């Protein structure tokens, strides 16, 4: 039987609080993928999902905290950047990008001498995918990496929060030098080399 009634319900005080913060500068509390340059004078790392490089003191004491200097980004990309790897000669860094909507790429950027202006990132991959585990061969001519499709990256969790280590992937390699100046100028849009599959990995964690 439909009816109406007067009813009182006690409601607690609001739990919302106002906080002021300085959004012009950010103090980074965590870095990921720190990678020392071959000569030990610089370190590449990921912070705020961006690739950075910094100079290190000339004398390092094991276990002692040191202050890095000349910290700066190597790109101006607006996508996430991961997995930096120094070339054996210390002149360039390979890294991956990732975008949840489109996938990722592999790039290489020249860093030259400490404090010098970095070069323009050169795209090495020829197609978008999920890339990880970058490593140069000792002669610096080839880059090894793990590659999975964007779908494989997400297939174990429909929300996209699966760990990368649970992803099936191909272990592959590609040349890191374009065959000609013309090819180098076109690498930004077409990639630099053809990737060759070495083996199929059951999980990325096997690397």
């Amino acid at each position: 039987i439909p009816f109406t009634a007067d009813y009182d319900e006690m409601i607690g005080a609001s739990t919302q609080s106002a906080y002021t913060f300085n959004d012009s500068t950010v103090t980074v509390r965590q870095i990921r993928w720190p990678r020392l340059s071959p000569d030990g004078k610089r370190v590449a790392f990921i912070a705020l999902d961006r690739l950075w490089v910094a100079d290190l003191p000339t004398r390092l004491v094991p276990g002692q905290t040191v202050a890095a200097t000349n910290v700066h980004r190597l790109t101006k990309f607006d996508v996430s950047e991961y997995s930096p790897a120094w070339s054996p000669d210390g002149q360039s860094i390979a890294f991956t990008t990732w975008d949840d909507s489109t996938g990722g790429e592999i790039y290489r950027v020249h860093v030259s001498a400490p404090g010098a202006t970095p070069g323009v990132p050169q795209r090495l991959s020829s197609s978008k995918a999920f890339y990880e585990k970058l490593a140069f061969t000792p002669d610096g001519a080839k880059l090894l990496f793990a590659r999975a499709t964007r779908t494989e990256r997400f297939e174990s969790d429909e929300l996209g929060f699966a760990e990368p280590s649970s992803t099936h992937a191909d272990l592959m390699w590609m040349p890191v030098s374009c065959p000609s100046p013309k090819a180098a100028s076109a690498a930004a849009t077409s990639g630099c080399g053809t990737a060759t599959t070495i083996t199929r990995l059951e999980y990325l964690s096997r690397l």
Side-chain angles (χ1 to χ4, degrees), residues 55-145:
D55 298 338
L56 296 175
T58 55
R59 183 173 181 273
L60 299 177
V61 179
Q64 180 179 341
T65 301
V66 298
T69 58
N70 190 31
V71 182
H72 59 280
R73 282 192 64 187
L74 291 178
T75 78
K76 296 181 180 180
F77 292 165
D78 292 327
V79 295
S80 298
E81 300 165 352
Y82 302 108
S83 197
W86 287 90
S87 61
D89 61 6
Q91 297 299 303
S92 63
I93 295 173
F95 64 97
T96 67
T97 62
W98 178 254
D99 182 285
D100 286 342
S101 299
T102 60
E105 302 275 9
I106 297 178
Y107 285 86
R108 180 182 61 170
V109 59
H110 287 278
V111 293
S112 60
T117 302
V120 177
Q122 178 187 45
R123 185 160 72 94
L124 300 180
S125 53
S126 57
S127 62
K128 289 185 178 294
F130 174 70
Y131 297 99
E132 200 180 42
K133 312 289 188 181
L134 305 188
F136 282 89
T137 53
D139 62 2
K142 299 176 182 178
L143 183 69
L144 279 74
F145 57 92

Side-chain angles (χ1 to χ4, degrees), residues 13-14 42 57 69 83 105 130 137 161 167-168 172 181 184 187 189 191 196:
S14 173
R42 289 170 289 178
T69 58
S83 197
E105 302 275 9
F130 174 70
T137 53
F161 297 120
T167 302
H168 298 274
M172 311 182 76
T189 58
T196 301

Side-chain angles (χ1 to χ4, degrees), residues 24 30 51 76 81 104 111 131 144 148 150 192 201 205:
S24 62
Q30 180 191 60
L51 174 63
K76 296 181 180 180
E81 300 165 352
V111 293
Y131 297 99
L144 279 74
R150 178 177 172 275
C192 192
L201 300 172
S205 57

